[in-house]
Amino acid sequence: MQRRILHIDMDAFFASVEQVRDPRLAGKPLIVGGAPEDRRGVVSTASYEARKYGVHSAMSLTEAHRLCPHGIFIRGNFEFYREASKKVHAILGRVSPLVQMASIDEAYVEVSGSQRLFGGDDGIAAFIKSEVFRQTSLPCTVAIAPNKLVAKVGSDAAKPDGYVRVAEGSEALFLAPLPIAKLPGAGPKTCEALELLGVRTIGDLAALPISRLLAAFGPMGYALRRTAQGVSTSAVETEHIPKSIGRETTFPKDLLDWKHIERVLHYLAEKSLYALREEGMEAQRVTLKVRYADFSTYTFARTLEQPTALDSDVFAALHELLPRGRERPMRVRLIGVSLSQFTHNQHQLPLFCGQLTAKWERVLESVDRVRGKHGFECLRSCQSMALGRDVKLATPALSR
Amino acid sequence: MKIIIPKQDLLDAVNKVKSVVSAKSALPILSHILIEAEKGCIRLFTTDLKVSLECSVDCEVKKSGSLTVSSQRLASILSELPDADITIELGESNVIRIECGKIHTRLFSMSPDEFPPARQLEDVEPIVLPQKLLREIFDKTSFAICTDQARYNLTGLLVELKNGVLTAVATDGRRMSLYKESEGIIDGVNLKVIIPGKLIQELTRLLGDEGDVNVYLGENQAAFQFDALRLTTALIEGSFPNYEMVVPQKHDKQAKVSTAKFMEAVRRTRTMTNEKFNSVRFKLESGMAKLSVVTPEVGEYEEEFPVDYKGDPIEIAFNPDFLLDILKHIDTETCCLVLKDAMSPGIVKPAAESGVDKYINVVMPIRIS
């Protein structure tokens, strides 16, 4: 059986979701990442109309506003994106049980065994594209290739609303004309070094004698050449464990009011913990991140004795870390929390006083069920409730 | 002070007492040994302020007195000296001379007055116990002592004397080891103390097979005297959790299994776990037990072995390190597992013929979904 891997990438995902929710935004230059007054955040996603003006992800909002002054700037809402992502995930699950959600808006699917059922690559792609559009009205790009590497490059090249099929044996041929910057793993530094060797396209790299690559990159040279030839054996990982889950936000104005900062931190921690529990995980490490007015960024971390998914445990850890963040007598620009060192199904039960933990677990289970129905904002701790019912953060951390 | 002593005698004594000395103490004198010479005998003292060790050795005392010397330095000098008599003498300004034939050493030292005064135990009657028994009790329980200083009250071994029964209990909040002994325990003394884990560790190392130990248990300190040694410690003040409450009484699923086979299987299973995913699933069915591990990004493992079990099937998960710690200390051929369900504590104990359990271990499971 030939190995066939599908890569699906949602086109301008956050912006497209917003355009579906509010049809007045359709066809307009839309920038998700922050409202016009939040000049300090970064662009999460720009619609294709906005990209024409040179706006792209990770660009500062100020810069985006300069390039596209008539653009529509919105903060975005992660809940809607996650909702849409779940729908897409479910559709992919109908094609094959082997689905790896690489992020909220892209996934790999092992479709080797689904060929007959859907009538080959073309049938699979057509089913997914039409079903995604029918259920979410969102456009996506699909690529099917003999491996993950070529599928990923393929969908990137076929955007937006595209489909590409790379047959077995023609991987190198497909990659050859593409610019070297499109090669996964080739960052700006590598590209610069490759250009000095006269490499412009992926094909140039594949044709380069290995001796020259080894001289320039050391053992990394082998990997570069393999990638350029479209060779990859990495499998679709269905059981992916994220490394960390966190939330952070940049304040509209630099702050010294630690009471307020603390409330925001509580809110961010609650959001992270909700996401953590949704994944069915427990975390053992809590990291507090503080960026000060001078852009210096500090992280303070604490490893807990036991992995936890309880709000109270993480709040306690953050309260131990906060005084260290306060030590620098400077205004705060950004605050964030991150949970890491995950385990699941590894909760060691205690001999003594287990009832209290068990009680909190039951409470949070109910809280999460209500949130699942009515949204995260509806049930929160007193600390974060002090921010008001609908929290509007300048730059919500939209990615995991 | 001046003494003449066979090198090996002194080295043995130094090796017995030096373990309590910490190299990096805030108080430099705590890295030293205090040696007192008097009437044909020297006494060596070390302390970390909580635990103190004392050892006496007979030798020729030319001039009585006392001195202190860096324990590490003394141990390394002694271990390199030839096997012969050595002379140790305290000179002017705390300079110590160590001579052995044609070898002359001069060591700078600190004044004996700086050494913390020895702990005076209030007047209590000693309890006399065989060394072997005490070592066995400590050995079988101390591995469960908590090492996390944040849970200070659990960092020691609970020793309780009540109605002629001595009970030793250690727990780290996730597992608990309990040993009860009534043989040779005099009735009439009732007390309950928590002895620091560090002292238990020292005792397990120093206690032998022969002879008795005099155990002095006071209000807030304890001493153990045997052979030429005396160990004293401050007791842990704080309350020990109610251990009797967590010993399950109504568990109905009991399996008997070969201790060696079970231990080998757990050892093998453990090779597939890692730091983050350290649990072993244990499934009991009629006549058969199955151990299995699934570790993300590592792999899976499964093993079956026969057990003497007739109840309903049950599946439970444990930290394999906890199981191994226990199985290593069970010296009967068969051991007994008593369970209820996946969320309740399990009991691992030697299969006792008499039906009376002297030694039991309670382990909390890892929750599985």
Side-chain angles (χ1 to χ4, degrees):
Chain A
M1 188 166 63
Q2 275 188 12
R3 194 162 166 250
R4 304 298 289 161
I5 309 285
L6 177 146
H7 183 252
I8 172 171
D9 199 337
M10 305 302 295
D11 303 327
F13 185 48
F14 299 164
S16 302
V17 173
E18 295 295 345
Q19 285 170 333
V20 171
R21 284 187 63 227
D22 184 354
R24 288 172 301 174
L25 298 172
K28 301 220 171 92
L30 177 66
I31 293 135
V32 183
E37 62 269 26
D38 319 321
R39 289 295 159 76
R40 302 153 54 89
V42 290
V43 175
S44 275
T45 312
S47 70
Y48 280 91
E49 294 79 9
R51 290 184 195 191
K52 281 182 200 150
Y53 296 90
V55 179
H56 57 78
S57 310
M59 173 182 273
S60 81
L61 283 176
T62 320
E63 176 71 4
H65 198 262
R66 197 182 56 77
L67 290 169
C68 186
H70 59 287
I72 301 165
F73 289 77
I74 59 168
R75 289 192 176 117
N77 190 324
F78 197 77
E79 301 298 317
F80 298 127
Y81 311 147
R82 197 155 55 179
E83 198 58 34
S85 180
K86 272 186 190 163
K87 281 186 186 162
V88 174
H89 191 172
I91 294 166
L92 299 176
R94 286 165 62 189
V95 175
S96 159
L98 303 173
V99 179
Q100 174 187 352
M101 291 303 288
S103 73
I104 193 165
D105 63 350
E106 61 174 311
Y108 295 96
V109 190
E110 164 84 56
V111 292
S112 317
S114 318
Q115 297 286 328
R116 279 228 199 140
L117 194 61
F118 290 87
D121 289 343
D122 297 351
I124 294 169
F127 171 78
I128 291 175
K129 280 180 69 91
S130 67
E131 199 59 12
V132 167
F133 192 77
R134 193 179 68 81
Q135 288 191 30
T136 67
S137 309
L138 293 170
C140 64
T141 298
V142 170
I144 304 181
N147 60 50
K148 279 166 85 173
L149 165 79
V150 178
K152 163 97 180 157
V153 177
S155 68
D156 187 40
K159 275 182 160 301
D161 198 12
Y163 162 58
V164 68
R165 174 178 186 277
V166 182
E168 173 130 349
S170 59
E171 298 92 323
L173 208 67
F174 171 77
L175 296 179
L178 297 171
I180 192 71
K182 294 279 181 192
L183 193 72
K189 280 257 168 74
T190 311
C191 287
E192 222 171 86
L194 281 170
E195 266 176 42
L196 287 176
L197 295 174
V199 172
R200 293 268 163 100
T201 64
I202 299 178
D204 294 344
L205 174 58
L208 214 60
I210 187 69
S211 56
R212 291 190 67 192
L213 276 174
L214 288 177
F217 298 99
M220 254 273 292
Y222 283 115
L224 269 173
R225 192 178 146 101
R226 252 169 74 93
T227 314
Q229 289 170 340
V231 182
S232 157
T233 52
S234 73
V236 172
E237 291 165 15
T238 48
E239 258 192 68
H240 175 71
I241 304 170
K243 291 269 179 278
S244 72
I245 289 178
R247 298 284 186 267
E248 58 183 53
T249 184
T250 307
F251 295 113
K253 257 182 15 198
D254 296 344
L255 288 183
L256 256 186
D257 177 2
W258 275 94
K259 260 226 161 88
H260 180 75
I261 296 171
E262 214 175 297
R263 283 182 197 135
V264 173
L265 190 66
H266 263 256
Y267 176 78
L268 298 171
E270 261 184 297
K271 278 196 105 130
S272 314
L273 280 153
Y274 178 50
L276 181 77
R277 288 192 296 270
E278 283 230 306
E279 295 274 353
M281 299 281 193
E282 293 192 325
Q284 197 161 9
R285 196 169 168 81
V286 181
T287 308
L288 167 71
K289 177 176 173 185
V290 188
R291 180 169 297 148
Y292 298 93
D294 63 354
F295 279 87
S296 59
T297 308
Y298 288 71
T299 56
F300 310 97
R302 195 175 129 66
T303 302
L304 309 174
E305 203 200 323
Q306 285 272 338
T308 186
L310 291 186
D311 290 19
S312 49
D313 291 341
V314 172
F315 288 167
L318 284 173
H319 278 276
E320 272 178 47
L321 296 171
L322 269 168
R324 291 168 60 194
R326 266 199 299 258
E327 265 170 27
R328 282 194 95 208
M330 193 179 284
R331 285 178 186 276
V332 174
R333 179 181 171 87
L334 169 150
I335 194 98
V337 58
S338 155
L339 308 171
S340 54
Q341 288 184 8
F342 295 149
T343 62
H344 68 92
N345 247 343
Q346 299 294 313
H347 188 90
Q348 169 70 56
L349 298 166
L351 257 176
F352 312 103
C353 312
Q355 299 89 337
L356 188 70
T357 315
K359 214 170 185 175
W360 270 113
E361 276 168 359
R362 282 200 301 276
V363 168
L364 286 168
E365 220 179 283
S366 312
V367 166
D368 289 350
R369 259 205 305 276
V370 175
R371 284 171 174 170
K373 262 189 182 169
H374 303 286
F376 168 80
E377 307 288 331
C378 72
L379 268 178
R380 282 159 31 215
S381 73
C382 302
Q383 271 273 9
S384 87
M385 262 306 182
L387 294 169
R389 193 172 144 65
D390 287 313
V391 181
K392 286 209 167 49
L393 295 177
T395 50
L398 289 173
S399 60
R400 281 264 163 95
Chain B
M1 181 190 127
K2 186 177 178 182
I3 55 164
I4 299 170
I5 185 169
K7 168 228 154 165
Q8 198 55 43
D9 288 7
L10 185 59
L11 181 58
D12 288 348
V14 169
N15 281 338
K16 277 182 184 153
V17 297
K18 74 169 188 195
S19 57
V20 75
V21 172
S22 77
K24 285 184 209 149
S25 173
L27 266 179
I29 190 73
L30 295 185
S31 65
H32 282 50
I33 298 182
L34 172 71
I35 302 178
E36 283 180 0
E38 207 181 18
K39 292 182 198 148
C41 162
I42 54 165
R43 292 195 297 163
L44 284 72
F45 295 88
T46 54
T47 182
D48 65 358
L49 294 180
K50 284 185 187 135
V51 172
S52 305
L53 261 62
E54 183 187 328
C55 179
S56 24
V57 198
D58 291 337
C59 71
E60 191 182 329
V61 178
K62 289 272 182 201
K63 192 179 163 197
S64 53
S66 59
L67 58 83
T68 72
V69 55
S70 154
S71 72
Q72 215 178 354
R73 186 74 62 190
L74 181 63
S76 45
I77 292 171
L78 288 176
S79 58
E80 299 303 336
L81 283 179
D83 222 346
D85 279 358
I86 54 169
T87 308
I88 299 181
E89 188 179 6
L90 178 68
E92 294 273 304
S93 351
N94 293 319
V95 173
I96 300 163
R97 275 175 217 282
I98 302 176
E99 321 231 308
C100 179
K102 296 194 169 182
I103 303 165
H104 309 280
T105 315
R106 278 159 52 87
L107 259 179
F108 302 112
S109 170
M110 295 169 86
S111 161
D113 300 337
E114 283 186 45
F115 202 84
R119 208 177 272 281
Q120 292 303 324
L121 200 68
E122 56 277 41
D123 204 16
V124 283
E125 278 296 307
I127 301 157
V128 183
L129 292 166
Q131 286 196 36
K132 198 177 172 182
L133 170 71
L134 208 56
R135 196 185 60 191
E136 165 137 341
I137 294 177
F138 291 162
D139 182 52
K140 281 192 167 16
T141 49
S142 59
F143 61 85
I145 292 176
C146 182
T147 49
D148 178 11
Q149 288 301 320
R151 307 181 78 177
Y152 181 64
N153 59 330
L154 300 185
T155 58
L157 182 77
L158 177 84
V159 175
E160 187 174 31
L161 273 172
K162 204 165 135 189
N163 307 330
V165 179
L166 183 147
T167 312
V169 189
T171 178
D172 62 2
R174 296 166 290 178
R175 37 106 177 242
M176 179 175 88
S177 293
L178 188 152
Y179 197 105
K180 270 183 199 284
E181 181 60 67
S182 53
E183 240 171 84
I185 312 290
I186 338 139
D187 199 356
V189 188
N190 287 345
L191 53 84
K192 200 173 177 179
V193 294
I194 309 173
I195 302 168
K198 186 166 180 185
L199 189 90
I200 300 294
Q201 210 182 329
E202 293 298 327
L203 281 168
T204 317
R205 183 174 67 89
L206 294 167
L207 284 167
D209 286 335
E210 306 290 329
D212 288 337
V213 191
N214 282 354
V215 184
Y216 301 84
L217 296 174
E219 270 295 299
N220 44 30
Q221 48 193 332
F224 293 79
Q225 197 163 355
F226 55 99
D227 304 336
L229 284 160
R230 185 183 162 93
L231 288 82
T232 40
T233 181
L235 292 171
I236 291 177
E237 286 174 50
S239 63
F240 202 83
N242 185 347
Y243 65 88
E244 276 164 335
M245 223 173 63
V246 294
V247 178
Q249 304 293 345
K250 289 183 184 160
H251 280 21
D252 53 347
K253 298 184 174 67
Q254 179 161 334
K256 280 190 182 157
V257 55
S258 149
T259 312
K261 280 219 170 70
F262 191 19
M263 185 149 76
E264 281 164 23
V266 175
R267 271 222 182 94
R268 278 193 286 270
T269 318
R270 195 165 148 268
T271 57
M272 288 297 286
T273 62
N274 63 17
E275 211 176 273
K276 282 201 264 173
F277 293 87
N278 195 20
S279 69
V280 172
R281 276 179 191 240
F282 184 76
K283 202 172 178 180
L284 266 183
E285 276 166 26
S286 189
M288 190 62 85
K290 191 167 97 181
L291 283 182
S292 65
V293 166
V294 178
T295 309
E297 289 160 15
V298 176
E300 300 179 6
Y301 181 91
E302 211 177 276
E303 174 169 353
E304 282 182 3
F305 54 93
V307 287
D308 179 3
Y309 179 70
K310 290 187 191 71
D312 294 333
I314 176 174
E315 191 171 12
I316 190 166
F318 289 113
N319 179 331
D321 296 333
F322 291 176
L323 289 180
L324 276 183
D325 278 346
I326 296 166
L327 293 170
K328 267 188 238 163
H329 290 91
I330 289 184
D331 35 28
T332 54
E333 218 166 271
T334 328
C335 68
C336 205
L337 259 132
V338 192
L339 305 170
K340 186 180 165 212
D341 54 45
M343 298 288 280
S344 305
I347 299 175
V348 189
K349 59 185 185 184
E353 278 167 21
S354 61
V356 182
D357 293 323
K358 261 187 174 181
Y359 177 43
I360 68 163
N361 294 278
V362 181
V363 198
M364 282 308 285
I366 286 169
R367 187 172 51 204
I368 43 179
S369 52

